[in-house]
Each structure stands twice: as C-alpha cells, then as structure tokens.
C-alpha cells in the first residue's frame, strides 16, 4: 500500500472517530521525497522530533510555503530555542520553567508568537521529559499568566506496554480544570484510544510510512 493510501486510510479512521481530532504526520528520519506527496495531496500538519534535523529539512521549504504547520514533538533544549522559533508553529514539549522563560524572551526578540502544548509526565518516569504531575497545575498558571505564552493544549506520553486510557483520561481532566482546549495524545499504536478519550491532535508516523 502506498504512503498516500495509508495516509488517506488513517485520516478517514480519525474522521470517523471524531470531527475534532487533527492528524499530525510524524516524519522524523523520513526523506523529503517521501513527505512531498502528502504535501501535494493537501496535508499541512507535520511533526518532527529534533530541531536540527527539522531545520535542515524544512527551513527553505517553509520560507516559500508559509501554510505548512510544523510541530516540534521531541524535547527542546534551551540552546535550540532560537532555531526552533524560525521554523515551528507548534511546540508540544514545553516542560520546564527555564525553557518557558527562554521561549518568552525569544518571542519578544523575534516578535513572533507560537502555540504551545505543556508536556506532563503523568507517571513521573525518570527517563522521560515533561513537567512532573505534582508541578503541572502551577506551571500551567506560570506560563499563561506570568509569561503570557499561548498555551493551547497539554501533551503526554503514557508509559510503554500499559493501557494508556488512565493517562489520557487524567490529562483530559487537567485540561478541563484549567480550561485548556486541546490535547496532544495518541500515536500509531494507540491513537484510536486517545481520540475516544478526547484527543484533538494525534501524532501518527509509522502507520503511514512503515
């Protein structure tokens, strides 16, 4: 099955589950030749994990095609913030006070506003990025009220090899309590579950490219 057919099938599945969920095609480590057919098909939302890889791949194209929405899904180091703001429209991995302050400073310098998801480490896994669950509520308030960052959503990565439902539901509950509209939840293996739990952005790569 071609990449286009896999993409269409995935998108149709998402649309059948929810009219509110949007597909982010995760294209880390994929050549631009594989991505271009999806762009030509009319898709606009693409996700990358690493700033440097994305910068090399997308910088010139985005300069000439402003409609592309590029989403940073992986961890963002503070020394990559300036480069990230050049090409990304959405950052799904805001996870520390230091990073939030750096982003606010760079936004003012560049006179540019991005859309942010706060990544919450709901299981408090030591090997995973994300603001800890017990700090999340105060961190959301800090980013929105003190830094005036455009926080549009929350993001989580449930532990591997467990039923993700309880984590998706927990993130949904936090979003309701803080009146945050969007949820970045679900990947190739669990996006259907995530949509049923309220996800508005799903991050699908391997189901399309592999």
């Amino acid at each position: 099955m071609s990449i286009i057919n896999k993409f269409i099938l995935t998108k149709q599945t998402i649309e059948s589950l929810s009219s509110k969920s949007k597909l982010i095609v995760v294209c880390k480590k994929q050549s631009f030749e594989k991505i271009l057919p999806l762009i030509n098909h009319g898709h606009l939302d693409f996700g990358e994990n690493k700033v440097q890889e994305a910068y090399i791949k997308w910088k010139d194209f985005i300069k000439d095609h402003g409609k592309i929405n590029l989403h940073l899904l992986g961890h963002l180091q503070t020394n990559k913030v300036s480069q990230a703001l050049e090409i990304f429209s959405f950052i799904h991995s805001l996870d520390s006070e230091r990073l939030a302050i750096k982003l606010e400073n760079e936004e003012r310098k560049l006179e540019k506003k991005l859309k942010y998801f706060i990544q919450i480490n709901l299981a408090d896994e030591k090997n995973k990025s994300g603001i800890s669950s017990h700090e999340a509520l105060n961190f959301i308030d800090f980013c929105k009220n003190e830094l005036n960052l455009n926080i549009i959503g929350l993001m989580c990565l449930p532990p591997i090899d467990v039923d993700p439902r309880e984590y998706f539901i927990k993130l949904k509950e936090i979003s309701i309590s803080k009146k945050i509209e969007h949820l970045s939840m679900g990947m190739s293996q669990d996006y259907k579950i995530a949509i049923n739990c309220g996800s508005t952005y799903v991050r699908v790569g391997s189901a399309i490219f592999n």
Side-chain angles (χ1 to χ4, degrees), residues 11 14-15 17-24 182-183 185 191 194-196 198-202:
K11 193 167 184 181
I14 290 169
E15 289 171 349
L17 292 169
S18 171
S19 61
K20 297 180 180 180
S21 296
K22 182 171 287 191
L23 170 62
I24 300 171
H182 293 291
L183 292 169
M185 307 189 304
Y191 72 87
I195 291 171
N196 286 329
S199 180
T200 56
Y201 284 84
V202 293

Side-chain angles (χ1 to χ4, degrees), residues 73-87:
L73 309 176
H75 178 65
L76 175 57
Q77 298 174 314
T78 54
N79 64 349
K80 294 288 195 301
V81 164
S82 179
Q83 203 172 51
L85 261 66
E86 281 192 54
I87 59 170

Side-chain angles (χ1 to χ4, degrees), residues 109-124:
K109 288 180 186 176
L110 297 175
E111 297 183 344
K112 182 177 182 181
K113 295 290 286 184
L114 270 63
K115 296 177 181 178
Y116 297 99
F117 291 78
I118 290 176
Q119 182 178 352
I120 304 178
N121 188 346
L122 293 173
D124 293 327

Side-chain angles (χ1 to χ4, degrees), residues 7-169:
F7 165 78
I8 291 172
L9 181 60
T10 302
K11 193 167 184 181
Q12 287 174 342
T13 302
I14 290 169
E15 289 171 349
S16 71
L17 292 169
S18 171
S19 61
K20 297 180 180 180
S21 296
K22 182 171 287 191
L23 170 62
I24 300 171
V25 174
V26 181
C27 49
K28 61 181 182 179
K29 299 182 180 179
Q30 301 297 332
S31 68
F32 208 78
E33 287 71 24
K34 285 188 176 181
I35 300 167
L36 195 56
L38 299 179
I39 296 173
N40 292 337
H41 188 75
H43 193 67
L44 300 177
D45 289 273
F46 296 89
E48 294 279 359
N49 272 31
K50 295 183 178 180
V51 174
Q52 190 63 35
E53 177 187 340
Y55 192 81
I56 294 169
K57 187 190 298 183
W58 288 97
K59 182 187 176 185
D60 292 338
F61 187 86
I62 285 177
K63 190 183 296 183
D64 298 327
H65 302 78
K67 291 184 178 180
I68 293 293
N69 297 315
L70 198 59
H71 300 250
L72 178 61
L73 309 176
H75 178 65
L76 175 57
Q77 298 174 314
T78 54
N79 64 349
K80 294 288 195 301
V81 164
S82 179
Q83 203 172 51
L85 261 66
E86 281 192 54
I87 59 170
F88 289 100
S89 302
F90 296 76
I91 291 178
H92 291 239
S93 51
L94 175 52
D95 63 356
S96 74
E97 204 170 286
R98 182 168 175 249
L99 177 59
I101 292 170
K102 179 69 173 177
L103 286 164
E104 192 271 339
N105 288 336
E106 289 298 319
E107 281 192 343
R108 280 192 286 106
K109 288 180 186 176
L110 297 175
E111 297 183 344
K112 182 177 182 181
K113 295 290 286 184
L114 270 63
K115 296 177 181 178
Y116 297 99
F117 291 78
I118 290 176
Q119 182 178 352
I120 304 178
N121 188 346
L122 293 173
D124 293 327
E125 297 175 275
K126 292 182 179 179
N127 63 339
K128 191 171 288 183
S129 299
I131 192 77
S132 66
S133 55
H134 66 276
E135 296 176 312
L137 298 182
N138 288 336
F139 183 64
I140 291 169
D141 290 340
F142 173 74
C143 291
K144 291 177 67 176
N145 301 331
E146 295 190 37
L147 298 183
N148 195 32
L149 293 175
N150 186 16
I151 307 298
I152 68 162
L154 306 177
M155 188 269 257
C156 73
L157 294 167
I160 298 172
D161 298 328
V162 301
D163 189 334
R165 283 177 181 83
E166 66 172 287
Y167 299 98
F168 293 155
I169 291 170

